Amino acid sequence: MTNSLHINGEWDTGSGEAIPTLDPATGTVITEVASATRSEVDAAVAAARAALGAAEWAGLLPVQRAALLFRLADLIERNAEELAQLETRDQGQPIGVSRAVSVAGAAEHFRYYAGWVTKIEGSTTPVSFPETLAYTRREPIGVNALITPWNFPLMILAWKLAPALATGNTVVIKPSEVTPLTSIRLVELAAEAGFPAGVVNLVTGGGETGGFLTSHMDVDHVSYTGSTNVGRIIARASADSNLKRLTLELGGKAPSIIAADANIDAAVAGNTAGATLNTGQVCAAYTRFYVDKKREDEFVTKLAAAVSALSVGPGADEQTQLGPLVSEKHLCHVDRLVGLGRTEGAELVTGGQRLDREGYFYRPTVFSGVHDTMTIATEEIFGPVLSVMAYDGEDELDDIIARANNTEYGLAATVWTNDIRTSQRLANGIKAGAVFVNMPPVPDMAAPWGGYKASGWGREMGPQAIDAYTETKAVWLHYGQS
Ligand code: NAD
């Protein structure tokens, strides 16, 4: 059993039930972590509350707080290979992805937000009152619960933790029970960097432990990334408790529009990457392909060849391009939806089954002849399943925009064309938090990330994350005769 509770600077195995965490490449148990109880969550929140006002944290000068974040970024880099191997073992992602995306991305986030600490400004406001100075201050929201999913555990935690700390908040982290190990290691590194006790707390566990946080009367903000269904539960928990602030990064079903004039080879390469990174377990993964029917056959043939040429295997193998799915449960979900694709009449071009070996490996799968209303075109699959639909290029662009927008989600979208007018009309018309033209979906710490519609509330990354972790106070000062 791993020490997986970190409360007020102390590590503990906790008193709750043990949850095993598995290696998805083999299905074997790596270790066990605690399911934190309500009283343990209460203790973590109390520690975060006490640390919020303590001189060791609240009294730090901005340059001193920035230095702690810079130090944590350095420590992530110094321990990069260990973190990458751990992420691959626990999550399954190819080691190259762990190194270049998860670990490097986490370090970059801490460095980027370390730079922000000394640039969080208020403003003076020209109020229409005589002899009155009005200005704004940006203050930390307070105690933040950071609840993360299993697909990019380390990187998504960094998306939340870096701006939370940069703005002077304190946190209680609750990683996914499926992939808790790199979050535990990151909290150890935060302690080594010198963040005072109580600033960064950690509790492990599943939905019940998460619920203790989201319904807690002394948590001021929940930053949550995960499924839309749980996002709805969290919104209710906030409404039924203290109306805590929410940042919700939820599911997606990103459309990819391939116009007749597109460079098909580039579109195939970019869409293969965009659909299969981390075995398709990416909220912004391209999943619904609308291709001009003049190029449909060529696109489907080349796409099927590209995805079936991917080397599938354990993430620890340097040659692997497609690792396992994260769990048996998730593999069953992907396989059930693929089965529905078949029975609802889509044509299976390649893939469509698990690999005959230990672990949770699934063949990358392409369907053609998909209709907009089929389950594979509407439900989030979160696996390496690509559904190709055709459109008539003679139609109005507005029609294809309407089809792309005909979903409850709105996280990401992509457009493949060499016509600047087409790209701009599509990019402006699609309702999604990010539209990528002629490229795969990539997060970058400087650009906002988040969803329209049921893909979420608020934005992470960029200057927008500073807003997510601060309250704005207006201060009014009458300096005339009183
Ligand atoms: P999930 O909703 O099952 O779990 C996410 C987290 O919420 C976990 O830590 C889990 O323990 C916790 N949780 C579960 N029930 C809870 C409850 N009732 N109250 C509080 N917390 C609870 O999601 P997942 O399966 O881990 O992740 C996959 C989902 O995440 C997909 O839908 C994907 O699209 C989404 N996602 C979105 C983004 C984004 O940026 N929008 C990024 C990555 C993943």
CSV table of all heavy atoms in Angstrom, one decimal, residues 266-326:
chain,number,residue,atom,x,y,z
A,266,ALA,N,-1.5,15.0,-46.2
A,266,ALA,CA,-1.3,15.8,-44.9
A,266,ALA,C,-2.5,15.6,-44.0
A,266,ALA,O,-2.3,15.4,-42.8
A,266,ALA,CB,-1.1,17.2,-45.2
A,267,ALA,N,-3.7,15.5,-44.6
A,267,ALA,CA,-4.9,15.4,-43.8
A,267,ALA,C,-4.9,14.0,-43.2
A,267,ALA,O,-5.3,13.8,-42.0
A,267,ALA,CB,-6.2,15.5,-44.7
A,268,VAL,N,-4.5,13.0,-43.9
A,268,VAL,CA,-4.4,11.6,-43.3
A,268,VAL,C,-3.4,11.6,-42.2
A,268,VAL,O,-3.8,11.1,-41.1
A,268,VAL,CB,-4.1,10.6,-44.4
A,268,VAL,CG1,-3.7,9.2,-43.8
A,268,VAL,CG2,-5.3,10.4,-45.4
A,269,ALA,N,-2.3,12.1,-42.4
A,269,ALA,CA,-1.3,12.1,-41.3
A,269,ALA,C,-1.7,12.9,-40.1
A,269,ALA,O,-1.7,12.4,-39.0
A,269,ALA,CB,0.1,12.7,-41.9
A,270,GLY,N,-2.3,14.0,-40.3
A,270,GLY,CA,-2.7,14.9,-39.2
A,270,GLY,C,-3.9,14.3,-38.5
A,270,GLY,O,-4.0,14.4,-37.2
A,271,ASN,N,-4.8,13.7,-39.2
A,271,ASN,CA,-6.0,13.1,-38.6
A,271,ASN,C,-5.7,11.8,-37.9
A,271,ASN,O,-6.3,11.5,-36.9
A,271,ASN,CB,-7.1,12.9,-39.6
A,271,ASN,CG,-7.9,14.2,-39.9
A,271,ASN,OD1,-8.4,14.8,-39.0
A,271,ASN,ND2,-7.9,14.7,-41.1
A,272,THR,N,-4.7,11.1,-38.4
A,272,THR,CA,-4.3,9.9,-37.7
A,272,THR,C,-3.7,10.2,-36.4
A,272,THR,O,-4.1,9.6,-35.3
A,272,THR,CB,-3.3,9.1,-38.6
A,272,THR,OG1,-3.9,8.7,-39.8
A,272,THR,CG2,-2.9,7.8,-37.9
A,273,ALA,N,-2.9,11.2,-36.4
A,273,ALA,CA,-2.3,11.7,-35.1
A,273,ALA,C,-3.4,12.2,-34.2
A,273,ALA,O,-3.4,11.9,-33.0
A,273,ALA,CB,-1.2,12.7,-35.4
A,274,GLY,N,-4.3,13.0,-34.8
A,274,GLY,CA,-5.3,13.7,-34.0
A,274,GLY,C,-6.3,12.7,-33.4
A,274,GLY,O,-7.0,13.0,-32.4
A,275,ALA,N,-6.5,11.5,-34.1
A,275,ALA,CA,-7.5,10.6,-33.6
A,275,ALA,C,-6.9,9.5,-32.7
A,275,ALA,O,-7.6,8.8,-32.0
A,275,ALA,CB,-8.1,9.9,-34.8
A,276,THR,N,-5.6,9.2,-32.8
A,276,THR,CA,-5.0,8.1,-32.1
A,276,THR,C,-4.0,8.4,-31.0
A,276,THR,O,-3.6,7.5,-30.4
A,276,THR,CB,-4.3,7.1,-33.1
A,276,THR,OG1,-3.2,7.8,-33.7
A,276,THR,CG2,-5.3,6.6,-34.2
A,277,LEU,N,-3.7,9.7,-30.9
A,277,LEU,CA,-2.8,10.0,-29.8
A,277,LEU,C,-3.3,9.4,-28.5
A,277,LEU,O,-4.5,9.5,-28.2
A,277,LEU,CB,-2.6,11.6,-29.6
A,277,LEU,CG,-1.8,12.0,-28.5
A,277,LEU,CD1,-0.3,11.7,-28.7
A,277,LEU,CD2,-2.0,13.5,-28.1
A,278,ASN,N,-2.5,8.8,-27.7
A,278,ASN,CA,-2.9,8.2,-26.4
A,278,ASN,C,-4.1,7.2,-26.6
A,278,ASN,O,-5.0,7.2,-25.8
A,278,ASN,CB,-3.2,9.3,-25.4
A,278,ASN,CG,-3.1,8.8,-24.0
A,278,ASN,OD1,-2.4,7.8,-23.7
A,278,ASN,ND2,-3.8,9.5,-23.0
A,279,THR,N,-4.0,6.5,-27.8
A,279,THR,CA,-5.0,5.5,-28.1
A,279,THR,C,-6.4,6.1,-28.2
A,279,THR,O,-7.4,5.5,-27.8
A,279,THR,CB,-4.9,4.3,-27.1
A,279,THR,OG1,-3.5,4.0,-26.9
A,279,THR,CG2,-5.6,3.1,-27.7
A,280,GLY,N,-6.4,7.4,-28.6
A,280,GLY,CA,-7.7,8.0,-28.8
A,280,GLY,C,-8.4,8.5,-27.5
A,280,GLY,O,-9.5,9.0,-27.4
A,281,GLN,N,-7.6,8.3,-26.4
A,281,GLN,CA,-8.2,8.7,-25.1
A,281,GLN,C,-7.8,10.2,-24.8
A,281,GLN,O,-7.0,10.5,-23.9
A,281,GLN,CB,-7.6,7.8,-24.0
A,281,GLN,CG,-7.9,6.3,-24.2
A,281,GLN,CD,-7.2,5.4,-23.4
A,281,GLN,OE1,-7.7,4.6,-22.6
A,281,GLN,NE2,-5.8,5.4,-23.5
A,282,VAL,N,-8.3,11.0,-25.7
A,282,VAL,CA,-8.0,12.5,-25.6
A,282,VAL,C,-9.4,13.2,-25.8
A,282,VAL,O,-10.1,12.8,-26.7
A,282,VAL,CB,-7.1,12.8,-26.8
A,282,VAL,CG1,-6.9,14.3,-26.9
A,282,VAL,CG2,-5.7,12.1,-26.6
A,283,CYS,N,-9.7,14.1,-24.9
A,283,CYS,CA,-11.0,14.8,-25.0
A,283,CYS,C,-11.2,15.5,-26.3
A,283,CYS,O,-12.3,15.6,-26.8
A,283,CYS,CB,-11.1,15.8,-23.9
A,283,CYS,SG,-9.7,16.8,-23.7
A,284,ALA,N,-10.0,16.0,-26.9
A,284,ALA,CA,-10.1,16.8,-28.2
A,284,ALA,C,-9.9,15.9,-29.4
A,284,ALA,O,-9.7,16.4,-30.5
A,284,ALA,CB,-9.1,17.9,-28.2
A,285,ALA,N,-9.8,14.6,-29.2
A,285,ALA,CA,-9.5,13.7,-30.3
A,285,ALA,C,-10.5,13.8,-31.5
A,285,ALA,O,-11.7,14.0,-31.3
A,285,ALA,CB,-9.5,12.2,-29.8
A,286,TYR,N,-9.9,13.8,-32.7
A,286,TYR,CA,-10.8,13.9,-33.9
A,286,TYR,C,-11.5,12.5,-34.0
A,286,TYR,O,-10.9,11.5,-34.0
A,286,TYR,CB,-10.0,14.2,-35.1
A,286,TYR,CG,-9.2,15.5,-35.0
A,286,TYR,CD1,-8.1,15.7,-35.9
A,286,TYR,CD2,-9.5,16.5,-34.2
A,286,TYR,CE1,-7.4,16.9,-35.8
A,286,TYR,CE2,-8.8,17.7,-34.1
A,286,TYR,CZ,-7.7,17.9,-34.9
A,286,TYR,OH,-7.0,19.0,-34.8
A,287,THR,N,-12.8,12.6,-34.2
A,287,THR,CA,-13.6,11.4,-34.2
A,287,THR,C,-14.6,11.3,-35.3
A,287,THR,O,-15.0,10.2,-35.8
A,287,THR,CB,-14.4,11.2,-32.9
A,287,THR,OG1,-15.3,12.3,-32.7
A,287,THR,CG2,-13.5,11.1,-31.7
A,288,ARG,N,-15.2,12.5,-35.7
A,288,ARG,CA,-16.2,12.5,-36.7
A,288,ARG,C,-15.6,13.1,-38.0
A,288,ARG,O,-15.3,14.4,-38.0
A,288,ARG,CB,-17.4,13.4,-36.3
A,288,ARG,CG,-18.1,12.9,-35.1
A,288,ARG,CD,-19.3,13.7,-34.7
A,288,ARG,NE,-19.0,15.0,-34.2
A,288,ARG,CZ,-19.6,16.2,-34.5
A,288,ARG,NH1,-20.6,16.2,-35.3
A,288,ARG,NH2,-19.2,17.3,-33.9
A,289,PHE,N,-15.4,12.4,-39.0
A,289,PHE,CA,-14.7,12.9,-40.2
A,289,PHE,C,-15.8,13.2,-41.3
A,289,PHE,O,-16.4,12.3,-41.8
A,289,PHE,CB,-13.7,11.9,-40.7
A,289,PHE,CG,-12.6,11.7,-39.7
A,289,PHE,CD1,-12.8,10.7,-38.7
A,289,PHE,CD2,-11.5,12.5,-39.6
A,289,PHE,CE1,-11.9,10.6,-37.7
A,289,PHE,CE2,-10.6,12.3,-38.6
A,289,PHE,CZ,-10.7,11.4,-37.6
A,290,TYR,N,-15.9,14.4,-41.7
A,290,TYR,CA,-16.8,14.8,-42.8
A,290,TYR,C,-15.9,15.2,-44.0
A,290,TYR,O,-15.1,16.2,-44.0
A,290,TYR,CB,-17.6,16.1,-42.4
A,290,TYR,CG,-18.5,15.9,-41.2
A,290,TYR,CD1,-18.1,16.2,-39.9
A,290,TYR,CD2,-19.8,15.4,-41.4
A,290,TYR,CE1,-18.9,15.9,-38.8
A,290,TYR,CE2,-20.6,15.2,-40.3
A,290,TYR,CZ,-20.2,15.5,-39.1
A,290,TYR,OH,-21.0,15.2,-38.0
A,291,VAL,N,-15.9,14.3,-45.0
A,291,VAL,CA,-15.0,14.4,-46.1
A,291,VAL,C,-15.8,14.7,-47.4
A,291,VAL,O,-16.9,14.1,-47.6
A,291,VAL,CB,-14.0,13.2,-46.3
A,291,VAL,CG1,-14.8,11.9,-46.4
A,291,VAL,CG2,-13.1,13.4,-47.4
A,292,ASP,N,-15.3,15.7,-48.2
A,292,ASP,CA,-16.0,15.9,-49.4
A,292,ASP,C,-16.1,14.6,-50.2
A,292,ASP,O,-15.1,13.9,-50.4
A,292,ASP,CB,-15.2,17.0,-50.2
A,292,ASP,CG,-16.0,17.5,-51.4
A,292,ASP,OD1,-16.3,16.6,-52.3
A,292,ASP,OD2,-16.3,18.7,-51.5
A,293,LYS,N,-17.3,14.3,-50.7
A,293,LYS,CA,-17.4,13.0,-51.3
A,293,LYS,C,-16.5,12.8,-52.6
A,293,LYS,O,-16.2,11.6,-52.9
A,293,LYS,CB,-18.9,12.7,-51.7
A,293,LYS,CG,-19.6,13.5,-52.7
A,293,LYS,CD,-21.0,13.1,-52.8
A,293,LYS,CE,-21.7,13.8,-54.0
A,293,LYS,NZ,-23.1,13.6,-54.1
A,294,LYS,N,-16.0,13.9,-53.1
A,294,LYS,CA,-15.1,13.7,-54.3
A,294,LYS,C,-13.8,13.1,-53.8
A,294,LYS,O,-13.1,12.5,-54.6
A,294,LYS,CB,-14.8,15.1,-54.9
A,294,LYS,CG,-16.0,15.7,-55.7
A,294,LYS,CD,-15.6,16.9,-56.5
A,294,LYS,CE,-15.6,18.2,-55.8
A,294,LYS,NZ,-16.8,18.6,-55.1
A,295,ARG,N,-13.5,13.2,-52.6
A,295,ARG,CA,-12.2,12.7,-52.0
A,295,ARG,C,-12.4,11.5,-51.1
A,295,ARG,O,-11.4,11.1,-50.4
A,295,ARG,CB,-11.4,13.8,-51.3
A,295,ARG,CG,-11.2,15.1,-52.1
A,295,ARG,CD,-10.4,15.0,-53.4
A,295,ARG,NE,-9.0,14.5,-53.2
A,295,ARG,CZ,-8.0,15.3,-53.0
A,295,ARG,NH1,-8.2,16.6,-52.8
A,295,ARG,NH2,-6.8,14.9,-52.9
A,296,GLU,N,-13.6,11.1,-50.9
A,296,GLU,CA,-14.0,10.2,-49.8
A,296,GLU,C,-13.2,8.8,-50.0
A,296,GLU,O,-12.6,8.4,-49.0
A,296,GLU,CB,-15.5,9.9,-49.9
A,296,GLU,CG,-15.9,9.0,-48.7
A,296,GLU,CD,-17.4,8.6,-48.8
A,296,GLU,OE1,-18.1,9.0,-49.8
A,296,GLU,OE2,-17.9,7.9,-47.9
A,297,ASP,N,-13.2,8.2,-51.2
A,297,ASP,CA,-12.6,6.9,-51.3
A,297,ASP,C,-11.1,7.0,-51.1
A,297,ASP,O,-10.5,6.2,-50.3
A,297,ASP,CB,-12.8,6.4,-52.8
A,297,ASP,CG,-14.3,6.0,-53.0
A,297,ASP,OD1,-15.0,5.9,-52.0
A,297,ASP,OD2,-14.7,5.8,-54.1
A,298,GLU,N,-10.5,8.0,-51.6
A,298,GLU,CA,-9.0,8.2,-51.4
A,298,GLU,C,-8.7,8.4,-49.9
A,298,GLU,O,-7.8,7.7,-49.4
A,298,GLU,CB,-8.6,9.4,-52.2
A,298,GLU,CG,-7.1,9.7,-52.1
A,298,GLU,CD,-6.7,11.1,-52.7
A,298,GLU,OE1,-7.6,11.8,-53.2
A,298,GLU,OE2,-5.5,11.4,-52.6
A,299,PHE,N,-9.5,9.2,-49.3
A,299,PHE,CA,-9.3,9.5,-47.8
A,299,PHE,C,-9.5,8.2,-47.0
A,299,PHE,O,-8.6,7.9,-46.2
A,299,PHE,CB,-10.2,10.6,-47.4
A,299,PHE,CG,-10.1,11.0,-45.9
A,299,PHE,CD1,-8.9,11.7,-45.5
A,299,PHE,CD2,-11.0,10.6,-44.9
A,299,PHE,CE1,-8.8,12.0,-44.1
A,299,PHE,CE2,-10.8,10.9,-43.6
A,299,PHE,CZ,-9.7,11.6,-43.2
A,300,VAL,N,-10.5,7.5,-47.2
A,300,VAL,CA,-10.8,6.3,-46.4
A,300,VAL,C,-9.7,5.3,-46.6
A,300,VAL,O,-9.2,4.7,-45.7
A,300,VAL,CB,-12.2,5.7,-46.8
A,300,VAL,CG1,-12.4,4.3,-46.1
A,300,VAL,CG2,-13.3,6.7,-46.3
A,301,THR,N,-9.3,5.0,-47.9
A,301,THR,CA,-8.3,4.0,-48.2
A,301,THR,C,-7.0,4.4,-47.5
A,301,THR,O,-6.3,3.6,-46.8
A,301,THR,CB,-8.0,3.9,-49.7
A,301,THR,OG1,-9.3,3.7,-50.3
A,301,THR,CG2,-7.1,2.8,-50.0
A,302,LYS,N,-6.6,5.7,-47.6
A,302,LYS,CA,-5.3,6.1,-47.0
A,302,LYS,C,-5.4,6.1,-45.5
A,302,LYS,O,-4.4,5.8,-44.8
A,302,LYS,CB,-4.9,7.4,-47.6
A,302,LYS,CG,-4.4,7.3,-49.0
A,302,LYS,CD,-3.9,8.7,-49.6
A,302,LYS,CE,-3.3,8.5,-51.0
A,302,LYS,NZ,-3.0,9.8,-51.6
A,303,LEU,N,-6.5,6.5,-45.0
A,303,LEU,CA,-6.7,6.6,-43.5
A,303,LEU,C,-6.6,5.2,-42.9
A,303,LEU,O,-5.9,5.0,-41.9
A,303,LEU,CB,-8.0,7.3,-43.1
A,303,LEU,CG,-8.3,7.6,-41.7
A,303,LEU,CD1,-7.4,8.7,-41.2
A,303,LEU,CD2,-9.7,8.0,-41.5
A,304,ALA,N,-7.3,4.3,-43.5
A,304,ALA,CA,-7.3,2.9,-43.0
A,304,ALA,C,-5.9,2.3,-43.0
A,304,ALA,O,-5.4,1.6,-42.1
A,304,ALA,CB,-8.3,2.0,-43.8
A,305,ALA,N,-5.2,2.6,-44.1
A,305,ALA,CA,-3.8,2.1,-44.2
A,305,ALA,C,-2.9,2.7,-43.2
A,305,ALA,O,-2.1,2.0,-42.5
A,305,ALA,CB,-3.2,2.4,-45.6
A,306,ALA,N,-3.1,4.0,-42.9
A,306,ALA,CA,-2.3,4.7,-41.9
A,306,ALA,C,-2.5,4.2,-40.5
A,306,ALA,O,-1.6,3.9,-39.7
A,306,ALA,CB,-2.5,6.2,-42.0
A,307,VAL,N,-3.8,4.0,-40.1
A,307,VAL,CA,-4.0,3.6,-38.7
A,307,VAL,C,-3.7,2.1,-38.5
A,307,VAL,O,-3.2,1.7,-37.5
A,307,VAL,CB,-5.5,3.9,-38.2
A,307,VAL,CG1,-5.9,5.3,-38.4
A,307,VAL,CG2,-6.5,3.0,-38.9
A,308,SER,N,-3.9,1.3,-39.6
A,308,SER,CA,-3.5,-0.1,-39.4
A,308,SER,C,-2.0,-0.3,-39.4
A,308,SER,O,-1.5,-1.4,-39.0
A,308,SER,CB,-4.3,-1.0,-40.3
A,308,SER,OG,-4.2,-0.6,-41.6
A,309,ALA,N,-1.3,0.7,-39.9
A,309,ALA,CA,0.2,0.5,-39.9
A,309,ALA,C,0.8,0.9,-38.5
A,309,ALA,O,2.0,0.7,-38.3
A,309,ALA,CB,0.8,1.4,-41.0
A,310,LEU,N,0.0,1.5,-37.6
A,310,LEU,CA,0.5,1.9,-36.3
A,310,LEU,C,1.0,0.7,-35.5
A,310,LEU,O,0.3,-0.3,-35.5
A,310,LEU,CB,-0.5,2.7,-35.5
A,310,LEU,CG,-1.0,4.0,-36.1
A,310,LEU,CD1,-2.2,4.6,-35.3
A,310,LEU,CD2,0.2,5.0,-36.1
A,311,SER,N,2.1,0.9,-34.9
A,311,SER,CA,2.6,-0.2,-34.1
A,311,SER,C,2.0,-0.2,-32.7
A,311,SER,O,2.1,0.8,-32.0
A,311,SER,CB,4.1,-0.2,-34.1
A,311,SER,OG,4.6,-0.1,-32.8
A,312,VAL,N,1.2,-1.3,-32.4
A,312,VAL,CA,0.4,-1.4,-31.2
A,312,VAL,C,1.2,-2.2,-30.2
A,312,VAL,O,1.7,-3.3,-30.6
A,312,VAL,CB,-0.9,-2.1,-31.4
A,312,VAL,CG1,-1.8,-2.1,-30.1
A,312,VAL,CG2,-1.7,-1.4,-32.5
A,313,GLY,N,1.4,-1.8,-29.0
A,313,GLY,CA,2.2,-2.6,-28.0
A,313,GLY,C,2.3,-1.8,-26.7
A,313,GLY,O,1.7,-0.8,-26.5
A,314,PRO,N,3.0,-2.4,-25.7
A,314,PRO,CA,3.2,-1.8,-24.4
A,314,PRO,C,3.8,-0.4,-24.6
A,314,PRO,O,4.7,-0.2,-25.4
A,314,PRO,CB,4.1,-2.8,-23.7
A,314,PRO,CG,4.0,-4.0,-24.4
A,314,PRO,CD,3.7,-3.7,-25.8
A,315,GLY,N,3.3,0.5,-23.8
A,315,GLY,CA,3.9,1.9,-23.8
A,315,GLY,C,5.4,1.9,-23.6
A,315,GLY,O,6.1,2.8,-24.1
A,316,ALA,N,5.9,1.0,-22.8
A,316,ALA,CA,7.3,1.0,-22.4
A,316,ALA,C,8.2,0.7,-23.6
A,316,ALA,O,9.4,1.0,-23.5
A,316,ALA,CB,7.5,0.1,-21.2
A,317,ASP,N,7.6,0.1,-24.6
A,317,ASP,CA,8.4,-0.3,-25.8
A,317,ASP,C,8.6,1.0,-26.6
A,317,ASP,O,7.7,1.6,-27.0
A,317,ASP,CB,7.6,-1.3,-26.6
A,317,ASP,CG,8.4,-1.8,-27.8
A,317,ASP,OD1,9.3,-1.1,-28.3
A,317,ASP,OD2,8.0,-2.9,-28.3
A,318,GLU,N,9.9,1.3,-26.9
A,318,GLU,CA,10.2,2.6,-27.6
A,318,GLU,C,9.5,2.7,-29.0
A,318,GLU,O,9.3,3.8,-29.5
A,318,GLU,CB,11.7,2.8,-27.7
A,318,GLU,CG,12.5,2.9,-26.4
A,318,GLU,CD,12.4,4.3,-25.8
A,318,GLU,OE1,12.0,5.2,-26.4
A,318,GLU,OE2,12.8,4.3,-24.6
A,319,GLN,N,9.2,1.5,-29.6
A,319,GLN,CA,8.7,1.5,-30.9
A,319,GLN,C,7.1,1.7,-30.9
A,319,GLN,O,6.6,2.0,-32.0
A,319,GLN,CB,8.9,0.2,-31.6
A,319,GLN,CG,10.3,-0.4,-31.6
A,319,GLN,CD,11.3,0.7,-32.0
A,319,GLN,OE1,11.1,1.4,-33.0
A,319,GLN,NE2,12.4,0.8,-31.3
A,320,THR,N,6.5,1.6,-29.8
A,320,THR,CA,5.1,1.6,-29.7
A,320,THR,C,4.5,3.0,-30.1
A,320,THR,O,5.0,4.0,-29.6
A,320,THR,CB,4.6,1.3,-28.3
A,320,THR,OG1,4.9,-0.1,-28.1
A,320,THR,CG2,3.1,1.5,-28.1
A,321,GLN,N,3.5,3.0,-31.0
A,321,GLN,CA,2.8,4.2,-31.3
A,321,GLN,C,1.4,4.2,-30.7
A,321,GLN,O,0.8,5.3,-30.5
A,321,GLN,CB,2.7,4.3,-32.9
A,321,GLN,CG,4.0,4.5,-33.5
A,321,GLN,CD,3.9,4.3,-35.0
A,321,GLN,OE1,3.6,3.2,-35.5
A,321,GLN,NE2,4.2,5.4,-35.8
A,322,LEU,N,0.8,3.0,-30.5
A,322,LEU,CA,-0.5,2.9,-29.9
A,322,LEU,C,-0.4,2.0,-28.7
A,322,LEU,O,-0.2,0.8,-28.9
A,322,LEU,CB,-1.5,2.4,-30.9
A,322,LEU,CG,-2.9,2.7,-30.8
A,322,LEU,CD1,-3.2,4.2,-31.2
A,322,LEU,CD2,-3.8,1.8,-31.6
A,323,GLY,N,-0.6,2.5,-27.5
A,323,GLY,CA,-0.5,1.7,-26.3
A,323,GLY,C,-1.9,1.1,-26.0
A,323,GLY,O,-2.8,1.1,-26.8
A,324,PRO,N,-2.0,0.5,-24.8
A,324,PRO,CA,-3.3,-0.2,-24.4
A,324,PRO,C,-4.3,0.9,-24.1
A,324,PRO,O,-4.0,2.0,-23.8
A,324,PRO,CB,-2.9,-1.0,-23.2
A,324,PRO,CG,-1.8,-0.3,-22.6
A,324,PRO,CD,-1.0,0.3,-23.8
A,325,LEU,N,-5.6,0.5,-24.0
A,325,LEU,CA,-6.6,1.3,-23.4
A,325,LEU,C,-6.4,1.2,-21.9
A,325,LEU,O,-5.6,0.3,-21.4
A,325,LEU,CB,-8.0,0.8,-23.8
A,325,LEU,CG,-8.4,1.1,-25.2
A,325,LEU,CD1,-9.6,0.3,-25.6
A,325,LEU,CD2,-8.6,2.6,-25.5
A,326,VAL,N,-7.0,2.1,-21.1
A,326,VAL,CA,-6.5,2.3,-19.7
A,326,VAL,C,-7.0,1.1,-18.8
A,326,VAL,O,-6.3,0.8,-17.8
A,326,VAL,CB,-7.0,3.6,-19.1
A,326,VAL,CG1,-8.4,3.6,-18.8
A,326,VAL,CG2,-6.1,4.0,-18.0
